[in-house]
């Protein structure tokens, strides 16, 4: 498994670099790095339904979203290096702390370490494993997760290649994200819940509505309705976009929040299409929902 680090092709970037010697687009070497491991209470209600998701925020990212709320770890690479053995211990300690699940955030570029860690302790985990992804994934990578991941939590950020190129340096984003999401829903299968209403199997597709992009968002809702089964997925339409100082001056159109009209038009289109899931109110567009990565907190 660790040979993937020698010529890395774990994501659509397919950098092909030897991460024992250098780094690719994600900026990470051949050891897992995490910025925070904690009980996270602000996920969707069926993910954080009791004590919160047992969330591990991994450092680095294969996207460079100009509006990223976690830029401290995605771009500045804040975090602590972890062995796979240490990572497996973190999973167990999160479970002992009452975590509703083990949530892996932006994990693809560390899959060799993560799968090695899960191999050690999966038989001791009695909570689901959640794969929280930006959606820019390879279907081959998703297949590697079979038997390890119970719930997929991917984004579909853009339908337009122009938008994905401008905001995330990935003109082929939708091409890969659409295939990856279909692979995720097929692999996870029908939605299943426990007696507390917590999701134990299935897929939740997330979409963050961006300022001025509501028509692109509605195209995503239409694609989801046409290409995925309602028995296998929920959809979470997010209004929490918050402009931060790190947004480049090249994108002044992003220096505002999403209006009620923009957000409600996307939710209304999803409702017309019979899409079931979650929506937010505008009070979610505040910095309070952004984790504090200055407090490392790796358990």
């Amino acid at each position: 498994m660790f040979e993937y680090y020698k010529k890395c092709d774990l994501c659509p970037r397919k950098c092909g670099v030897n991460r024992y010697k250098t780094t690719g687009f994600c900026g990470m070497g051949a050891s897992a790095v995490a910025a925070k491991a904690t009980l996270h209470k602000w996920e969707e209600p069926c993910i954080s339904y009791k004590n919160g998701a047992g969330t591990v925020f991994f450092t680095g990212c294969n996207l460079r979203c100009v509006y990223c709320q976690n830029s401290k770890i995605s771009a500045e690479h804040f975090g602590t290096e972890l062995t796979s053995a240490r990572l497996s211990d973190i999973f167990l300690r999160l479970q002992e702390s009452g975590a509703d699940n083990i949530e892996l955030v932006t994990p693809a570029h560390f899959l060799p370490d993560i799968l090695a860690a899960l191999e050690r302790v999966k038989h001791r985990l009695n909570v689901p494993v959640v794969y929280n992804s930006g959606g820019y994934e390879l279907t081959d990578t998703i297949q590697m997760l079979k038997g390890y991941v119970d719930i997929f939590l991917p984004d579909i950020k853009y339908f337009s290649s122009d938008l994905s190129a401008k905001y995330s340096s990935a003109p082929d984003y939708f091409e890969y994200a659409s295939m990856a999401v279909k692979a995720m829903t097929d692999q996870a299968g029908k939605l299943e819940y426990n007696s507390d209403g917590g999701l134990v199997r299935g897929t939740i597709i997330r979409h963050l509505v961006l300022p001025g992009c509501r028509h692109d968002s509605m195209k995503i809702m239409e694609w989801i309705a046409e290409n995925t089964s309602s028995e296998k997925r929920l959809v979470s339409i997010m209004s929490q976009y918050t402009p931060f100082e790190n947004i480049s001056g090249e994108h002044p159109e992003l220096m505002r929040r999403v209006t009620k009209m923009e957000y409600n038009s996307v939710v209304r289109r999803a409702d017309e299409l019979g899409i079931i899931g979650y929506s937010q109110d505008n009070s979610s567009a505040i910095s309070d929902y952004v984790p504090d990565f200055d407090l490392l907190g790796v358990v």
Side-chain angles (χ1 to χ4, degrees):
M1 178 61 67
F2 288 92
E3 65 270 13
Y4 282 97
Y5 286 146
K6 293 180 179 178
K7 190 177 180 181
C8 190
D9 59 356
L10 288 167
C11 85
R13 302 286 179 188
K14 295 186 177 181
C15 299
V17 301
N18 184 342
R19 286 170 55 188
Y20 287 99
K21 297 180 179 180
T22 186
T23 61
F25 190 92
C26 67
M28 293 287 102
S31 296
V33 181
K36 199 174 187 72
T38 188
L39 295 180
H40 185 29
K41 299 183 178 181
W42 301 109
E43 302 291 41
E44 283 76 9
C46 66
I47 297 293
S48 297
Y49 57 92
K50 191 181 290 184
N51 299 317
T55 306
V56 182
F57 292 91
F58 290 99
T59 302
C61 185
N62 67 357
L63 293 171
R64 289 184 182 155
C65 302
V66 296
Y67 50 83
C68 181
Q69 67 177 18
N70 294 341
S71 61
K72 188 174 184 68
I73 63 171
S74 64
E76 298 174 32
H77 301 158
F78 177 81
T80 296
E81 192 170 298
L82 302 169
T83 64
S84 58
R86 175 77 173 113
L87 193 54
S88 62
D89 180 60
I90 286 173
F91 296 159
L92 291 176
R93 291 183 65 180
L94 285 168
Q95 178 174 258
E96 290 167 5
S97 298
D100 299 329
N101 45 63
I102 304 300
E103 182 186 20
L104 313 170
V105 178
T106 321
H109 49 292
F110 293 130
L111 273 193
D113 282 283
I114 291 169
L115 294 182
L118 286 173
E119 185 67 30
R120 276 192 186 89
V121 299
K122 192 70 164 74
H123 64 289
R124 296 174 61 187
L125 293 177
N126 52 36
V127 294
V129 174
V130 181
Y131 190 84
N132 182 334
S133 162
Y136 195 48
E137 304 273 2
L138 294 172
T139 55
D140 287 347
T141 303
I142 303 307
Q143 292 304 316
M144 292 165 60
L145 303 172
K146 192 170 184 179
Y148 294 97
V149 168
D150 307 290
I151 299 168
F152 288 100
L153 191 59
D155 292 332
I156 298 184
K157 296 178 182 291
Y158 317 97
F159 187 89
S160 162
S161 60
D162 290 339
L163 288 177
S164 62
K166 180 166 64 169
Y167 294 150
S168 295
S169 301
D172 55 0
Y173 175 86
F174 183 76
E175 173 189 346
Y176 283 101
S178 58
M179 291 189 294
V181 166
K182 285 198 282 188
M184 291 174 185
T185 56
D186 288 344
Q187 186 167 303
K190 291 183 180 180
L191 299 165
E192 295 180 18
Y193 301 86
N194 61 24
S195 59
D196 293 316
L199 190 66
V200 296
R201 180 163 292 278
T203 301
I204 303 177
I205 304 169
R206 283 176 166 174
H207 174 68
L208 176 66
V209 181
L210 296 174
C213 299
R214 65 189 178 95
H215 293 294
D216 195 69
S217 297
M218 287 188 272
K219 288 179 181 177
I220 290 170
M221 297 302 123
E222 291 161 4
W223 180 89
I224 290 172
E226 292 172 7
N227 292 276
T228 64
S229 167
S230 60
E231 294 182 331
K232 297 180 178 180
R233 53 83 181 140
L234 299 169
V235 177
S236 179
I237 306 173
M238 300 182 292
S239 65
Q240 67 193 49
Y241 175 79
T242 305
F244 288 95
E245 293 179 359
N246 62 287
I247 296 175
S248 170
E250 296 178 5
H251 303 289
E253 73 278 11
L254 294 180
M255 290 303 297
R256 67 169 176 85
R257 295 179 179 177
V258 173
T259 66
K260 287 185 178 181
M261 182 279 292
E262 289 174 315
Y263 181 72
N264 289 343
S265 66
V266 178
V267 172
R268 186 164 54 250
R269 184 59 182 137
D271 187 55
E272 291 169 352
L273 294 163
I275 289 174
I276 303 299
Y278 301 101
S279 60
Q280 298 176 320
D281 58 44
N282 278 23
S283 66
S284 62
I286 56 175
S287 59
D288 291 355
Y289 287 85
V290 181
D292 185 356
F293 296 114
D294 287 323
L295 302 174
L296 189 58
V298 176
V299 296

